[in-house]
Amino acid sequence: MSKGGLSVFLALLSLFFGTFVVMTIVRYISELLFPNTDVESSSELYWEVFVQLIGLRDTGDNANLATKIIGVITIFLGLVLFSSLVAFITQEFESRLQILRQGQSPVIEENHTLILGFSDRVIDIIKELVVGNESEADAVVVILSQKDKEEMDNFLRNNLGDLKTTRVVTRNGIITNLNELDKVGIKVAKSVIILNDAKTSDPDELKTLADARVVKAVLAVVAANEEDSVPSIVVELHSQQYRRLAENIAPGAVTTLNEADILARILVQTSRSVGLAAVYLNLVGFEGNEFYFYRPEKGWQSVNFGELPFHFSNGIPIGVRHANATLTIKPSKDYQLVESDEAIVLAEDDSSIQFHPQSVVQPKNFSYSDCCKTLEQKPERHLIIGWNSKTPITLREYAKYLISGSEVNLVVQDLTSQVKAEFDTIAKNYSQIKMDALQVNLDSVEQLLRLKPYEYNSISILALRGENSEEIDAKTLTILLELRQIFREYTAETKNQVTTELIAEIIDSQDTDLVIKAGVKDFLLTNQFVSKILAQVSQEPSVMSIYDDLFSVDGSELYIKPISLYFSSKELGRLTFADCVKAAQERDELCLGVKISALAQNKNQNFGIDLVPSLDKPLNLTFNDALITLAEDET
């Protein structure tokens, strides 16, 4: 019995057939000594003993006493042994079902995406993978977590919609255990996403422990593959030290992501340009537009980068990946593409990307006299509410963007000595920007009113601490509503329209509609942003370098600029998107789309953001509208 179920089954089976042999011999001897009047043949005797053992036949009324006694003994032994065998088979069947319910059985899938860990973020990741896998007939996502399988299945069932061509398989186990990793097909997985179970609002001690577990999981994945053909690994880490360690475990195979760093940089950019959050949401994921690396079979036909956009009917090239794997985002218009270059193309789907040797659209020959205009940079005032791991990064990013004389203030519920010391260090390093830190009761409308929030260019509300995403978002929404009320009262008293932009960090993407109704024109969906990036990078690791470049203050960034910088009033009524691309090139910029101000509050119309329309699409633009461009500065 100590050898397991198979040994017990074989032992019972052997005992049953051993008893069959013994009782057959006893019955044969009985027939020799006390023969019945109707003597059966040997073959019939064997069969009669067997069916007596399994309880399907008695000895019959015409048998003699010896045969009846042996028959009763045979039936009794059969009841014990055969019932034990049936009971064992039933028990083993139920235990196998229990193993399946608990997620202990191995998976048989190959070329799947493996997610290690389980959190609220997993919903947005799977939704992105479902969109990305639509072109596959049978895509599989496998999840390994210490959570109960039924709990995971119920959570996914309640929060996921139509999975289309994707199947989700859950398994219970420890993500750092080599046997558990083998069970979920680590050696045949296409990519691995390792989730971090610590939130950015958690204390540093918890984030350090969570980072250490993620690094251990990376080691386990590499060890399970014996450092041979390691799949693409994407991990989320809070600490720079642990990110460096993880990347050095398997150089080239591990891509790390820091939520606080990416979202803080996006927050600064979106707070200074209304609508950029919706643009980024369209870029960082499979739904909407994606980045693809493309090279035509017949070469680039001596085309330079300035001419390149007009050779694609769908998609806009934003840069080049060279033979040495380095990227150049928005190279010079005169850059001549060589045969080994791959264009970085922003398009809705890779199947729609096609390079044409001849231009597919010719832009109109406008004078572009207005393209010499520039936006005048003025000192700005920005307010940050809340302190978390993103706040120091946000302060530094503001200081890099803003001109001298600008102001960035911080408001926190509890201004501890640690927060004050870190804030003062940042303020001292960027003395050209005025920075003040204030302690304010965020639940008090009177104290918020003293801040004169309507005098700021933007107010960014960062996620406060809480037990879960619902509690954190509830605090954010409360502050939003209080600020909205202050704005309404100020407008009613002074008749002046408040132009302050509200930026909110929202943890749960399901709270988007509530944020829009609270009057927020831009918002950060923390889980959704990071989940989209994790999902896309897991399928194409090189995309992470594009995001790093776009989110950085150095080089080219995304801007939403007024249409008046590009066209005169008489040209607006007869434009195509090709004309917009050409006008942006005259200012050494790259146009990716347009923003229609009339649709800015319409969620179904993507908040007025139209990215990568076809080149020949007619656009009825007004001076309230804008171009979405990739440029080196905001002027």
Side-chain angles (χ1 to χ4, degrees), residues 4-73:
L6 180 61
S7 297
V8 175
F9 174 75
L10 293 176
L12 287 173
L13 196 62
S14 300
L15 189 58
F16 177 81
F17 282 105
T19 304
F20 168 70
V21 172
V22 170
M23 295 311 298
T24 301
I25 294 173
V26 171
R27 178 65 183 277
Y28 183 75
I29 294 173
S30 172
E31 289 294 338
L32 291 177
L33 297 177
F34 309 102
N36 285 289
T37 55
D38 50 342
V39 180
E40 300 107 330
S41 65
S42 298
S43 60
E44 291 177 340
L45 190 64
Y46 299 150
W47 174 249
E48 185 174 349
V49 172
F50 180 78
V51 293
Q52 285 176 353
L53 273 176
I54 62 176
L56 296 179
R57 180 187 294 181
D58 58 16
T59 54
D61 296 334
N62 297 327
N64 59 32
L65 181 62
T67 301
K68 289 181 178 180
I69 293 174
I70 295 172
V72 170
I73 296 173

Side-chain angles (χ1 to χ4, degrees), residues 438-551:
L438 305 171
Q439 179 170 307
V440 172
N441 181 3
L442 299 176
D443 297 324
S444 170
V445 178
E446 291 76 14
Q447 293 193 32
L448 288 175
L449 187 59
R450 294 194 196 107
L451 297 173
K452 297 181 179 179
Y454 38 78
E455 294 183 355
Y456 287 92
N457 294 89
S458 76
I459 299 177
S460 301
I461 306 171
L462 300 182
L464 305 177
R465 290 191 177 181
E467 293 294 328
N468 49 53
S469 59
E470 183 179 0
E471 181 179 331
I472 295 172
D473 285 349
K475 294 178 180 179
T476 302
L477 286 170
T478 300
I479 298 173
L480 277 174
L481 293 173
E482 290 175 347
L483 290 173
R484 288 288 294 166
Q485 183 62 29
I486 292 174
F487 290 168
R488 288 193 193 96
E489 293 176 356
Y490 175 79
T491 300
E493 292 177 5
T494 65
K495 307 302 181 183
N496 295 326
Q497 190 66 33
V498 177
T499 59
T500 303
E501 302 298 340
L502 293 175
I503 313 296
E505 179 187 359
I506 300 300
I507 304 299
D508 189 348
S509 57
Q510 296 183 16
D511 291 331
T512 305
D513 292 334
L514 297 178
V515 176
I516 295 173
K517 291 179 180 179
V520 179
K521 296 180 181 178
D522 267 329
F523 45 87
L524 292 178
L525 302 177
T526 304
N527 269 341
Q528 198 170 6
F529 261 120
V530 178
S531 300
K532 283 174 176 283
I533 295 174
L534 283 170
Q536 193 167 17
V537 173
S538 71
Q539 309 302 302
E540 179 53 76
S542 300
V543 173
M544 192 66 218
S545 57
I546 300 176
Y547 292 145
D548 286 336
D549 196 296
L550 289 179
F551 300 151

Side-chain angles (χ1 to χ4, degrees), residues 11-211:
L12 287 173
L13 196 62
S14 300
L15 189 58
F16 177 81
F17 282 105
T19 304
F20 168 70
V21 172
V22 170
M23 295 311 298
T24 301
I25 294 173
V26 171
R27 178 65 183 277
Y28 183 75
I29 294 173
S30 172
E31 289 294 338
L32 291 177
L33 297 177
F34 309 102
N36 285 289
T37 55
D38 50 342
V39 180
E40 300 107 330
S41 65
S42 298
S43 60
E44 291 177 340
L45 190 64
Y46 299 150
W47 174 249
E48 185 174 349
V49 172
F50 180 78
V51 293
Q52 285 176 353
L53 273 176
I54 62 176
L56 296 179
R57 180 187 294 181
D58 58 16
T59 54
D61 296 334
N62 297 327
N64 59 32
L65 181 62
T67 301
K68 289 181 178 180
I69 293 174
I70 295 172
V72 170
I73 296 173
T74 303
I75 292 172
F76 177 78
L77 292 174
L79 286 174
V80 174
L81 294 176
F82 190 69
S83 298
S84 299
L85 189 60
V86 172
F88 175 79
I89 294 174
T90 303
Q91 179 184 348
E92 282 295 302
F93 180 72
E94 290 180 351
S95 66
R96 293 296 176 184
L97 287 179
Q98 185 66 20
I99 289 174
L100 290 174
R101 284 194 294 266
Q102 293 176 350
Q104 299 294 330
S105 61
V107 300
I108 59 174
E109 283 76 17
E110 296 183 2
N111 199 35
H112 54 279
T113 299
L114 176 61
I115 300 176
L116 301 181
F118 196 89
S119 66
D120 292 343
R121 195 186 303 288
V122 78
I123 294 297
D124 288 319
I125 291 176
I126 294 176
K127 286 181 179 178
E128 283 301 308
L129 292 174
V130 167
V131 176
N133 292 333
E134 284 183 347
S135 58
E136 298 185 28
D138 183 28
V140 180
V141 176
V142 178
I143 302 173
L144 177 64
S145 169
Q146 287 186 265
K147 283 185 174 292
D148 180 72
K149 174 178 169 58
E150 290 189 29
E151 180 183 352
M152 289 189 286
D153 289 341
N154 290 334
F155 180 81
L156 295 175
R157 191 180 301 111
N158 293 333
N159 291 277
L160 288 175
D162 183 12
L163 294 178
K164 299 179 181 177
T165 62
T166 301
R167 290 184 293 114
V168 179
V169 178
T170 57
R171 288 292 182 268
N172 171 266
I174 301 173
I175 65 173
T176 56
N177 185 288
L178 296 183
N179 291 330
E180 303 284 4
L181 290 174
D182 284 335
K183 182 178 66 179
V184 292
I186 186 65
K187 294 181 180 178
V188 292
K190 175 175 59 177
S191 61
V192 179
I193 300 173
I194 304 177
L195 300 181
N196 196 308
D197 53 12
K199 302 186 294 290
T200 54
S201 58
D202 287 336
D204 291 338
E205 297 79 10
L206 289 179
K207 289 191 285 189
T208 299
L209 289 174
D211 283 354

